[in-house]
């Protein structure tokens, strides 16, 4: 389960105005968001983070998947540490982390071309 806060700035809030609402998805296996980021600015390093609330047991559900023409798994990150791909290279940390069900967990994946390292943080 992942919540995104979508907001639109306004010049002045009127009385009785409603607060912005979060976009909720991930309650079924068919939920997804299509996203077309401009990755042209990413040259040497990238870190991808999200607050994830794991709702389903198992190791093979991903919370982000980004494919490019050069690599099938440019970025692919699971919700339990079993796969963390950057440029088709996988770092499996499933045996080192325990991601609890129904609990918000900050998950990050960092990659650096200068050091050639892929790091995963939970």
């Amino acid at each position: 389960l992942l919540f995104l806060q979508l907001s639109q700035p306004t010049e002045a809030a009127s009385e009785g105005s409603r607060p912005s609402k979060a976009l909720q998805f991930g309650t079924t296996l068919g939920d997804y968001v299509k996203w077309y980021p401009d990755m042209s600015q990413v040259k040497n390093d990238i870190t991808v983070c999200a607050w994830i609330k794991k709702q389903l047991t198992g190791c093979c559900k991903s919370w982000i998947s980004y494919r490019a023409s050069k690599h099938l798994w440019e970025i692919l990150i699971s919700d339990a540490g079993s796969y963390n791909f950057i440029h088709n290279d996988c770092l499996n940390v499933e045996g080192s982390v325990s991601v609890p069900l129904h609990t918000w967990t900050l998950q990050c994946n960092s990659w650096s071309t200068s050091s050639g390292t892929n790091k995963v943080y939970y």
Side-chain angles (χ1 to χ4, degrees), residues 62-109:
S62 61
W63 56 266
I64 186 169
S65 174
Y66 175 74
R67 294 182 182 186
S69 59
K70 188 173 182 181
H71 301 288
L72 179 61
W73 304 118
E74 192 75 33
I75 300 173
L76 179 68
I77 304 173
S78 71
D79 65 357
S82 61
Y83 52 86
N84 299 282
F85 283 91
I86 297 283
H87 293 231
N88 278 353
D89 292 327
C90 181
L91 177 58
N92 184 331
V93 297
E94 184 178 17
S96 304
V97 299
S98 177
V99 180
L101 288 176
H102 313 294
T103 302
W104 287 104
T105 306
L106 180 62
Q107 300 179 10
C108 297
N109 192 328

mmCIF file of all heavy atoms in Angstrom, residues 62-109:
data_model
loop_
_atom_site.group_PDB
_atom_site.id
_atom_site.type_symbol
_atom_site.label_atom_id
_atom_site.label_comp_id
_atom_site.label_asym_id
_atom_site.label_seq_id
_atom_site.Cartn_x
_atom_site.Cartn_y
_atom_site.Cartn_z
ATOM 1 N N SER A 62 6.604 -5.927 -6.101
ATOM 2 C CA SER A 62 7.468 -4.754 -6.247
ATOM 3 C C SER A 62 6.669 -3.475 -6.035
ATOM 4 O O SER A 62 5.477 -3.419 -6.292
ATOM 5 C CB SER A 62 8.128 -4.740 -7.627
ATOM 6 O OG SER A 62 7.155 -4.673 -8.638
ATOM 7 N N TRP A 63 7.364 -2.452 -5.538
ATOM 8 C CA TRP A 63 6.708 -1.164 -5.358
ATOM 9 C C TRP A 63 7.160 -0.150 -6.395
ATOM 10 O O TRP A 63 6.551 0.898 -6.525
ATOM 11 C CB TRP A 63 6.875 -0.638 -3.940
ATOM 12 C CG TRP A 63 8.274 -0.476 -3.411
ATOM 13 C CD1 TRP A 63 8.974 -1.391 -2.681
ATOM 14 C CD2 TRP A 63 9.123 0.660 -3.534
ATOM 15 N NE1 TRP A 63 10.207 -0.888 -2.346
ATOM 16 C CE2 TRP A 63 10.321 0.380 -2.854
ATOM 17 C CE3 TRP A 63 8.985 1.906 -4.146
ATOM 18 C CZ2 TRP A 63 11.381 1.276 -2.783
ATOM 19 C CZ3 TRP A 63 10.045 2.809 -4.069
ATOM 20 C CH2 TRP A 63 11.212 2.493 -3.393
ATOM 21 N N ILE A 64 8.202 -0.467 -7.137
ATOM 22 C CA ILE A 64 8.574 0.386 -8.265
ATOM 23 C C ILE A 64 9.227 -0.482 -9.334
ATOM 24 O O ILE A 64 9.990 -1.397 -9.043
ATOM 25 C CB ILE A 64 9.519 1.548 -7.864
ATOM 26 C CG1 ILE A 64 9.740 2.483 -9.057
ATOM 27 C CG2 ILE A 64 10.824 1.025 -7.308
ATOM 28 C CD1 ILE A 64 10.438 3.779 -8.715
ATOM 29 N N SER A 65 8.861 -0.187 -10.553
ATOM 30 C CA SER A 65 9.457 -0.859 -11.704
ATOM 31 C C SER A 65 9.664 0.191 -12.783
ATOM 32 O O SER A 65 8.726 0.885 -13.168
ATOM 33 C CB SER A 65 8.519 -1.960 -12.213
ATOM 34 O OG SER A 65 9.034 -2.515 -13.405
ATOM 35 N N TYR A 66 10.896 0.341 -13.214
ATOM 36 C CA TYR A 66 11.217 1.291 -14.277
ATOM 37 C C TYR A 66 12.042 0.551 -15.320
ATOM 38 O O TYR A 66 13.086 -0.004 -14.996
ATOM 39 C CB TYR A 66 11.998 2.493 -13.731
ATOM 40 C CG TYR A 66 12.446 3.450 -14.809
ATOM 41 C CD1 TYR A 66 11.532 4.291 -15.427
ATOM 42 C CD2 TYR A 66 13.765 3.494 -15.221
ATOM 43 C CE1 TYR A 66 11.929 5.150 -16.430
ATOM 44 C CE2 TYR A 66 14.177 4.352 -16.217
ATOM 45 C CZ TYR A 66 13.253 5.180 -16.821
ATOM 46 O OH TYR A 66 13.653 6.029 -17.818
ATOM 47 N N ARG A 67 11.543 0.505 -16.529
ATOM 48 C CA ARG A 67 12.231 -0.191 -17.606
ATOM 49 C C ARG A 67 12.714 0.814 -18.630
ATOM 50 O O ARG A 67 12.055 1.812 -18.903
ATOM 51 C CB ARG A 67 11.311 -1.198 -18.282
ATOM 52 C CG ARG A 67 10.928 -2.329 -17.374
ATOM 53 C CD ARG A 67 10.075 -3.331 -18.081
ATOM 54 N NE ARG A 67 9.702 -4.384 -17.141
ATOM 55 C CZ ARG A 67 9.066 -5.457 -17.483
ATOM 56 N NH1 ARG A 67 8.712 -5.652 -18.728
ATOM 57 N NH2 ARG A 67 8.755 -6.363 -16.584
ATOM 58 N N ALA A 68 13.862 0.519 -19.194
ATOM 59 C CA ALA A 68 14.421 1.340 -20.258
ATOM 60 C C ALA A 68 14.819 0.411 -21.405
ATOM 61 O O ALA A 68 14.893 -0.801 -21.228
ATOM 62 C CB ALA A 68 15.638 2.109 -19.745
ATOM 63 N N SER A 69 15.094 0.986 -22.536
ATOM 64 C CA SER A 69 15.418 0.150 -23.691
ATOM 65 C C SER A 69 16.730 -0.607 -23.510
ATOM 66 O O SER A 69 16.902 -1.692 -24.049
ATOM 67 C CB SER A 69 15.481 1.012 -24.952
ATOM 68 O OG SER A 69 16.448 2.028 -24.808
ATOM 69 N N LYS A 70 17.638 -0.067 -22.722
ATOM 70 C CA LYS A 70 18.936 -0.710 -22.531
ATOM 71 C C LYS A 70 18.880 -1.868 -21.537
ATOM 72 O O LYS A 70 19.571 -2.863 -21.692
ATOM 73 C CB LYS A 70 19.959 0.325 -22.065
ATOM 74 C CG LYS A 70 21.369 -0.188 -22.030
ATOM 75 C CD LYS A 70 22.352 0.922 -21.721
ATOM 76 C CE LYS A 70 23.762 0.375 -21.734
ATOM 77 N NZ LYS A 70 24.730 1.408 -21.420
ATOM 78 N N HIS A 71 18.087 -1.740 -20.485
ATOM 79 C CA HIS A 71 18.010 -2.750 -19.430
ATOM 80 C C HIS A 71 16.554 -3.114 -19.161
ATOM 81 O O HIS A 71 15.715 -2.229 -18.996
ATOM 82 C CB HIS A 71 18.619 -2.240 -18.121
ATOM 83 C CG HIS A 71 20.050 -1.845 -18.233
ATOM 84 N ND1 HIS A 71 21.067 -2.751 -18.373
ATOM 85 C CD2 HIS A 71 20.635 -0.624 -18.222
ATOM 86 C CE1 HIS A 71 22.222 -2.112 -18.454
ATOM 87 N NE2 HIS A 71 21.985 -0.823 -18.367
ATOM 88 N N LEU A 72 16.262 -4.406 -19.071
ATOM 89 C CA LEU A 72 14.909 -4.835 -18.733
ATOM 90 C C LEU A 72 14.547 -4.380 -17.326
ATOM 91 O O LEU A 72 13.447 -3.915 -17.073
ATOM 92 C CB LEU A 72 14.798 -6.357 -18.847
ATOM 93 C CG LEU A 72 13.440 -6.947 -18.500
ATOM 94 C CD1 LEU A 72 12.357 -6.424 -19.437
ATOM 95 C CD2 LEU A 72 13.489 -8.461 -18.537
ATOM 96 N N TRP A 73 15.475 -4.521 -16.384
ATOM 97 C CA TRP A 73 15.243 -4.100 -15.001
ATOM 98 C C TRP A 73 16.148 -2.920 -14.678
ATOM 99 O O TRP A 73 17.121 -3.044 -13.959
ATOM 100 C CB TRP A 73 15.486 -5.253 -14.030
ATOM 101 C CG TRP A 73 14.665 -6.466 -14.337
ATOM 102 C CD1 TRP A 73 15.136 -7.700 -14.683
ATOM 103 C CD2 TRP A 73 13.257 -6.562 -14.348
ATOM 104 N NE1 TRP A 73 14.093 -8.562 -14.902
ATOM 105 C CE2 TRP A 73 12.927 -7.880 -14.706
ATOM 106 C CE3 TRP A 73 12.216 -5.668 -14.101
ATOM 107 C CZ2 TRP A 73 11.620 -8.320 -14.821
ATOM 108 C CZ3 TRP A 73 10.923 -6.112 -14.211
ATOM 109 C CH2 TRP A 73 10.630 -7.420 -14.562
ATOM 110 N N GLU A 74 15.838 -1.770 -15.221
ATOM 111 C CA GLU A 74 16.596 -0.551 -14.920
ATOM 112 C C GLU A 74 16.493 -0.257 -13.421
ATOM 113 O O GLU A 74 17.480 -0.062 -12.749
ATOM 114 C CB GLU A 74 16.054 0.616 -15.737
ATOM 115 C CG GLU A 74 16.925 1.835 -15.721
ATOM 116 C CD GLU A 74 18.165 1.693 -16.575
ATOM 117 O OE1 GLU A 74 18.146 1.012 -17.612
ATOM 118 O OE2 GLU A 74 19.177 2.282 -16.191
ATOM 119 N N ILE A 75 15.265 -0.234 -12.922
ATOM 120 C CA ILE A 75 15.010 -0.125 -11.477
ATOM 121 C C ILE A 75 13.831 -1.046 -11.174
ATOM 122 O O ILE A 75 12.785 -0.949 -11.802
ATOM 123 C CB ILE A 75 14.655 1.313 -11.048
ATOM 124 C CG1 ILE A 75 15.783 2.278 -11.374
ATOM 125 C CG2 ILE A 75 14.313 1.360 -9.555
ATOM 126 C CD1 ILE A 75 15.427 3.738 -11.133
ATOM 127 N N LEU A 76 14.008 -1.942 -10.228
ATOM 128 C CA LEU A 76 12.927 -2.831 -9.779
ATOM 129 C C LEU A 76 13.194 -3.134 -8.313
ATOM 130 O O LEU A 76 14.246 -3.679 -7.976
ATOM 131 C CB LEU A 76 12.884 -4.126 -10.589
ATOM 132 C CG LEU A 76 11.816 -5.126 -10.178
ATOM 133 C CD1 LEU A 76 10.418 -4.577 -10.489
ATOM 134 C CD2 LEU A 76 12.019 -6.460 -10.871
ATOM 135 N N ILE A 77 12.277 -2.769 -7.443
ATOM 136 C CA ILE A 77 12.493 -2.933 -6.012
ATOM 137 C C ILE A 77 11.293 -3.660 -5.408
ATOM 138 O O ILE A 77 10.150 -3.261 -5.593
ATOM 139 C CB ILE A 77 12.696 -1.570 -5.318
ATOM 140 C CG1 ILE A 77 13.859 -0.823 -5.985
ATOM 141 C CG2 ILE A 77 12.964 -1.763 -3.827
ATOM 142 C CD1 ILE A 77 14.041 0.592 -5.499
ATOM 143 N N SER A 78 11.592 -4.729 -4.673
ATOM 144 C CA SER A 78 10.537 -5.519 -4.035
ATOM 145 C C SER A 78 10.187 -4.940 -2.673
ATOM 146 O O SER A 78 10.925 -4.140 -2.104
ATOM 147 C CB SER A 78 10.980 -6.968 -3.879
ATOM 148 O OG SER A 78 11.967 -7.079 -2.888
ATOM 149 N N ASP A 79 9.061 -5.406 -2.122
ATOM 150 C CA ASP A 79 8.620 -4.919 -0.817
ATOM 151 C C ASP A 79 9.189 -5.728 0.342
ATOM 152 O O ASP A 79 8.905 -5.450 1.490
ATOM 153 C CB ASP A 79 7.094 -4.888 -0.733
ATOM 154 C CG ASP A 79 6.452 -6.254 -0.810
ATOM 155 O OD1 ASP A 79 7.172 -7.258 -0.988
ATOM 156 O OD2 ASP A 79 5.218 -6.327 -0.694
ATOM 157 N N ALA A 80 10.016 -6.753 0.048
ATOM 158 C CA ALA A 80 10.545 -7.603 1.120
ATOM 159 C C ALA A 80 12.052 -7.817 1.033
ATOM 160 O O ALA A 80 12.603 -8.620 1.771
ATOM 161 C CB ALA A 80 9.841 -8.950 1.106
ATOM 162 N N GLY A 81 12.729 -7.123 0.118
ATOM 163 C CA GLY A 81 14.179 -7.228 0.025
ATOM 164 C C GLY A 81 14.699 -8.302 -0.895
ATOM 165 O O GLY A 81 15.906 -8.436 -1.068
ATOM 166 N N SER A 82 13.826 -9.097 -1.503
ATOM 167 C CA SER A 82 14.299 -10.221 -2.317
ATOM 168 C C SER A 82 14.953 -9.771 -3.616
ATOM 169 O O SER A 82 15.870 -10.417 -4.090
ATOM 170 C CB SER A 82 13.162 -11.192 -2.609
ATOM 171 O OG SER A 82 12.135 -10.543 -3.323
ATOM 172 N N TYR A 83 14.488 -8.705 -4.195
ATOM 173 C CA TYR A 83 15.169 -8.189 -5.372
ATOM 174 C C TYR A 83 15.200 -6.670 -5.347
ATOM 175 O O TYR A 83 14.238 -6.000 -5.031
ATOM 176 C CB TYR A 83 14.567 -8.728 -6.677
ATOM 177 C CG TYR A 83 13.070 -8.575 -6.809
ATOM 178 C CD1 TYR A 83 12.509 -7.408 -7.306
ATOM 179 C CD2 TYR A 83 12.222 -9.602 -6.444
ATOM 180 C CE1 TYR A 83 11.144 -7.270 -7.441
ATOM 181 C CE2 TYR A 83 10.855 -9.486 -6.582
ATOM 182 C CZ TYR A 83 10.324 -8.308 -7.082
ATOM 183 O OH TYR A 83 8.971 -8.178 -7.206
ATOM 184 N N ASN A 84 16.358 -6.158 -5.638
ATOM 185 C CA ASN A 84 16.619 -4.727 -5.711
ATOM 186 C C ASN A 84 17.523 -4.517 -6.916
ATOM 187 O O ASN A 84 18.744 -4.588 -6.804
ATOM 188 C CB ASN A 84 17.284 -4.236 -4.426
ATOM 189 C CG ASN A 84 16.395 -4.456 -3.218
ATOM 190 O OD1 ASN A 84 15.461 -3.724 -2.984
ATOM 191 N ND2 ASN A 84 16.669 -5.510 -2.471
ATOM 192 N N PHE A 85 16.908 -4.320 -8.065
ATOM 193 C CA PHE A 85 17.655 -4.198 -9.314
ATOM 194 C C PHE A 85 17.965 -2.743 -9.648
ATOM 195 O O PHE A 85 17.106 -1.876 -9.541
ATOM 196 C CB PHE A 85 16.839 -4.754 -10.487
ATOM 197 C CG PHE A 85 16.805 -6.241 -10.577
ATOM 198 C CD1 PHE A 85 15.808 -6.966 -9.965
ATOM 199 C CD2 PHE A 85 17.771 -6.913 -11.303
ATOM 200 C CE1 PHE A 85 15.756 -8.347 -10.070
ATOM 201 C CE2 PHE A 85 17.736 -8.294 -11.413
ATOM 202 C CZ PHE A 85 16.724 -9.014 -10.792
ATOM 203 N N ILE A 86 19.188 -2.522 -10.085
ATOM 204 C CA ILE A 86 19.608 -1.286 -10.738
ATOM 205 C C ILE A 86 20.448 -1.732 -11.927
ATOM 206 O O ILE A 86 21.422 -2.478 -11.758
ATOM 207 C CB ILE A 86 20.432 -0.375 -9.806
ATOM 208 C CG1 ILE A 86 19.609 0.091 -8.607
ATOM 209 C CG2 ILE A 86 21.005 0.796 -10.563
ATOM 210 C CD1 ILE A 86 18.608 1.199 -8.884
ATOM 211 N N HIS A 87 20.072 -1.317 -13.111
ATOM 212 C CA HIS A 87 20.786 -1.687 -14.349
ATOM 213 C C HIS A 87 20.973 -3.200 -14.479
ATOM 214 O O HIS A 87 22.059 -3.672 -14.801
ATOM 215 C CB HIS A 87 22.149 -0.998 -14.430
ATOM 216 C CG HIS A 87 22.048 0.467 -14.591
ATOM 217 N ND1 HIS A 87 22.705 1.146 -15.565
ATOM 218 C CD2 HIS A 87 21.363 1.411 -13.910
ATOM 219 C CE1 HIS A 87 22.444 2.433 -15.468
ATOM 220 N NE2 HIS A 87 21.623 2.609 -14.468
ATOM 221 N N ASN A 88 19.934 -3.954 -14.197
ATOM 222 C CA ASN A 88 19.931 -5.414 -14.302
ATOM 223 C C ASN A 88 20.791 -6.123 -13.261
ATOM 224 O O ASN A 88 20.877 -7.336 -13.274
ATOM 225 C CB ASN A 88 20.340 -5.897 -15.699
ATOM 226 C CG ASN A 88 19.196 -5.853 -16.675
ATOM 227 O OD1 ASN A 88 18.055 -5.586 -16.323
ATOM 228 N ND2 ASN A 88 19.504 -6.095 -17.929
ATOM 229 N N ASP A 89 21.454 -5.399 -12.372
ATOM 230 C CA ASP A 89 22.226 -6.006 -11.292
ATOM 231 C C ASP A 89 21.330 -6.084 -10.058
ATOM 232 O O ASP A 89 20.740 -5.084 -9.647
ATOM 233 C CB ASP A 89 23.483 -5.191 -10.968
ATOM 234 C CG ASP A 89 24.501 -5.238 -12.082
ATOM 235 O OD1 ASP A 89 24.593 -6.278 -12.757
ATOM 236 O OD2 ASP A 89 25.199 -4.225 -12.290
ATOM 237 N N CYS A 90 21.260 -7.275 -9.452
ATOM 238 C CA CYS A 90 20.356 -7.490 -8.322
ATOM 239 C C CYS A 90 21.124 -7.618 -7.014
ATOM 240 O O CYS A 90 22.161 -8.267 -6.954
ATOM 241 C CB CYS A 90 19.529 -8.757 -8.549
ATOM 242 S SG CYS A 90 18.352 -9.079 -7.223
ATOM 243 N N LEU A 91 20.601 -6.991 -5.986
ATOM 244 C CA LEU A 91 21.110 -7.136 -4.627
ATOM 245 C C LEU A 91 19.967 -7.703 -3.787
ATOM 246 O O LEU A 91 18.949 -7.046 -3.582
ATOM 247 C CB LEU A 91 21.564 -5.786 -4.065
ATOM 248 C CG LEU A 91 22.055 -5.770 -2.631
ATOM 249 C CD1 LEU A 91 23.228 -6.719 -2.440
ATOM 250 C CD2 LEU A 91 22.438 -4.358 -2.220
ATOM 251 N N ASN A 92 20.119 -8.949 -3.337
ATOM 252 C CA ASN A 92 19.102 -9.626 -2.541
ATOM 253 C C ASN A 92 19.464 -9.493 -1.067
ATOM 254 O O ASN A 92 20.498 -9.987 -0.637
ATOM 255 C CB ASN A 92 19.011 -11.105 -2.937
ATOM 256 C CG ASN A 92 17.903 -11.841 -2.213
ATOM 257 O OD1 ASN A 92 17.526 -11.500 -1.099
ATOM 258 N ND2 ASN A 92 17.384 -12.860 -2.846
ATOM 259 N N VAL A 93 18.612 -8.811 -0.300
ATOM 260 C CA VAL A 93 18.851 -8.631 1.134
ATOM 261 C C VAL A 93 17.746 -9.280 1.969
ATOM 262 O O VAL A 93 17.617 -8.998 3.155
ATOM 263 C CB VAL A 93 18.998 -7.132 1.508
ATOM 264 C CG1 VAL A 93 20.201 -6.517 0.825
ATOM 265 C CG2 VAL A 93 17.728 -6.357 1.182
ATOM 266 N N GLU A 94 16.965 -10.154 1.345
ATOM 267 C CA GLU A 94 15.824 -10.773 2.029
ATOM 268 C C GLU A 94 16.239 -11.483 3.314
ATOM 269 O O GLU A 94 15.527 -11.442 4.313
ATOM 270 C CB GLU A 94 15.126 -11.750 1.090
ATOM 271 C CG GLU A 94 13.876 -12.359 1.676
ATOM 272 C CD GLU A 94 13.186 -13.295 0.710
ATOM 273 O OE1 GLU A 94 13.812 -13.732 -0.277
ATOM 274 O OE2 GLU A 94 12.013 -13.600 0.948
ATOM 275 N N GLY A 95 17.402 -12.133 3.323
ATOM 276 C CA GLY A 95 17.862 -12.821 4.517
ATOM 277 C C GLY A 95 18.353 -11.887 5.608
ATOM 278 O O GLY A 95 18.523 -12.296 6.757
ATOM 279 N N SER A 96 18.558 -10.607 5.283
ATOM 280 C CA SER A 96 19.092 -9.637 6.241
ATOM 281 C C SER A 96 18.043 -8.709 6.821
ATOM 282 O O SER A 96 18.320 -8.016 7.802
ATOM 283 C CB SER A 96 20.157 -8.774 5.565
ATOM 284 O OG SER A 96 21.168 -9.569 5.017
ATOM 285 N N VAL A 97 16.868 -8.641 6.194
ATOM 286 C CA VAL A 97 15.826 -7.723 6.666
ATOM 287 C C VAL A 97 14.537 -8.491 6.918
ATOM 288 O O VAL A 97 14.303 -9.543 6.341
ATOM 289 C CB VAL A 97 15.551 -6.577 5.663
ATOM 290 C CG1 VAL A 97 16.773 -5.728 5.446
ATOM 291 C CG2 VAL A 97 15.015 -7.098 4.350
ATOM 292 N N SER A 98 13.740 -7.949 7.788
ATOM 293 C CA SER A 98 12.419 -8.495 8.058
ATOM 294 C C SER A 98 11.427 -7.350 7.917
ATOM 295 O O SER A 98 11.425 -6.425 8.726
ATOM 296 C CB SER A 98 12.360 -9.083 9.461
ATOM 297 O OG SER A 98 11.056 -9.540 9.736
ATOM 298 N N VAL A 99 10.623 -7.400 6.879
ATOM 299 C CA VAL A 99 9.646 -6.340 6.633
ATOM 300 C C VAL A 99 8.304 -6.793 7.196
ATOM 301 O O VAL A 99 7.703 -7.739 6.699
ATOM 302 C CB VAL A 99 9.535 -6.034 5.121
ATOM 303 C CG1 VAL A 99 8.527 -4.931 4.883
ATOM 304 C CG2 VAL A 99 10.897 -5.656 4.553
ATOM 305 N N PRO A 100 7.833 -6.126 8.250
ATOM 306 C CA PRO A 100 6.591 -6.555 8.892
ATOM 307 C C PRO A 100 5.361 -6.202 8.056
ATOM 308 O O PRO A 100 5.360 -5.208 7.320
ATOM 309 C CB PRO A 100 6.589 -5.778 10.209
ATOM 310 C CG PRO A 100 7.414 -4.562 9.926
ATOM 311 C CD PRO A 100 8.438 -4.982 8.913
ATOM 312 N N LEU A 101 4.340 -7.025 8.173
ATOM 313 C CA LEU A 101 3.069 -6.728 7.518
ATOM 314 C C LEU A 101 2.351 -5.598 8.240
ATOM 315 O O LEU A 101 2.478 -5.443 9.459
ATOM 316 C CB LEU A 101 2.168 -7.964 7.510
ATOM 317 C CG LEU A 101 2.563 -9.094 6.573
ATOM 318 C CD1 LEU A 101 1.626 -10.286 6.758
ATOM 319 C CD2 LEU A 101 2.553 -8.642 5.125
ATOM 320 N N HIS A 102 1.613 -4.787 7.481
ATOM 321 C CA HIS A 102 0.722 -3.746 8.000
ATOM 322 C C HIS A 102 1.450 -2.683 8.823
ATOM 323 O O HIS A 102 0.867 -2.097 9.732
ATOM 324 C CB HIS A 102 -0.418 -4.375 8.826
ATOM 325 C CG HIS A 102 -1.068 -5.528 8.140
ATOM 326 N ND1 HIS A 102 -1.794 -5.412 6.967
ATOM 327 C CD2 HIS A 102 -1.081 -6.850 8.430
ATOM 328 C CE1 HIS A 102 -2.223 -6.594 6.585
ATOM 329 N NE2 HIS A 102 -1.799 -7.492 7.446
ATOM 330 N N THR A 103 2.707 -2.454 8.513
ATOM 331 C CA THR A 103 3.507 -1.442 9.212
ATOM 332 C C THR A 103 4.236 -0.599 8.166
ATOM 333 O O THR A 103 4.841 -1.144 7.243
ATOM 334 C CB THR A 103 4.551 -2.116 10.129
ATOM 335 O OG1 THR A 103 3.864 -2.967 11.050
ATOM 336 C CG2 THR A 103 5.359 -1.091 10.893
ATOM 337 N N TRP A 104 4.169 0.714 8.301
ATOM 338 C CA TRP A 104 4.875 1.587 7.364
ATOM 339 C C TRP A 104 6.375 1.420 7.555
ATOM 340 O O TRP A 104 6.881 1.477 8.675
ATOM 341 C CB TRP A 104 4.476 3.051 7.579
ATOM 342 C CG TRP A 104 3.094 3.338 7.091
ATOM 343 C CD1 TRP A 104 1.975 3.494 7.851
ATOM 344 C CD2 TRP A 104 2.685 3.479 5.741
ATOM 345 N NE1 TRP A 104 0.893 3.719 7.050
ATOM 346 C CE2 TRP A 104 1.301 3.722 5.748
ATOM 347 C CE3 TRP A 104 3.342 3.427 4.520
ATOM 348 C CZ2 TRP A 104 0.567 3.915 4.574
ATOM 349 C CZ3 TRP A 104 2.614 3.618 3.354
ATOM 350 C CH2 TRP A 104 1.243 3.860 3.386
ATOM 351 N N THR A 105 7.075 1.204 6.444
ATOM 352 C CA THR A 105 8.521 0.999 6.446
ATOM 353 C C THR A 105 9.140 1.877 5.367
ATOM 354 O O THR A 105 8.679 1.866 4.222
ATOM 355 C CB THR A 105 8.858 -0.476 6.139
ATOM 356 O OG1 THR A 105 8.163 -1.314 7.052
ATOM 357 C CG2 THR A 105 10.343 -0.733 6.258
ATOM 358 N N LEU A 106 10.176 2.625 5.724
ATOM 359 C CA LEU A 106 10.899 3.418 4.734
ATOM 360 C C LEU A 106 11.895 2.510 4.032
ATOM 361 O O LEU A 106 12.714 1.857 4.684
ATOM 362 C CB LEU A 106 11.628 4.595 5.388
ATOM 363 C CG LEU A 106 12.423 5.483 4.426
ATOM 364 C CD1 LEU A 106 11.512 6.138 3.397
ATOM 365 C CD2 LEU A 106 13.203 6.529 5.193
ATOM 366 N N GLN A 107 11.808 2.447 2.720
ATOM 367 C CA GLN A 107 12.714 1.618 1.928
ATOM 368 C C GLN A 107 13.403 2.487 0.895
ATOM 369 O O GLN A 107 12.755 3.267 0.202
ATOM 370 C CB GLN A 107 11.938 0.490 1.238
ATOM 371 C CG GLN A 107 11.239 -0.422 2.210
ATOM 372 C CD GLN A 107 10.458 -1.526 1.510
ATOM 373 O OE1 GLN A 107 10.565 -1.749 0.322
ATOM 374 N NE2 GLN A 107 9.662 -2.237 2.277
ATOM 375 N N CYS A 108 14.723 2.342 0.788
ATOM 376 C CA CYS A 108 15.511 3.122 -0.164
ATOM 377 C C CYS A 108 16.508 2.228 -0.891
ATOM 378 O O CYS A 108 17.016 1.265 -0.318
ATOM 379 C CB CYS A 108 16.301 4.230 0.536
ATOM 380 S SG CYS A 108 15.278 5.467 1.348
ATOM 381 N N ASN A 109 16.807 2.579 -2.116
ATOM 382 C CA ASN A 109 17.805 1.892 -2.927
ATOM 383 C C ASN A 109 18.671 2.973 -3.562
ATOM 384 O O ASN A 109 18.152 3.862 -4.227
ATOM 385 C CB ASN A 109 17.105 1.050 -4.001
ATOM 386 C CG ASN A 109 18.033 0.092 -4.684
ATOM 387 O OD1 ASN A 109 19.205 0.364 -4.844
ATOM 388 N ND2 ASN A 109 17.508 -1.030 -5.126
#
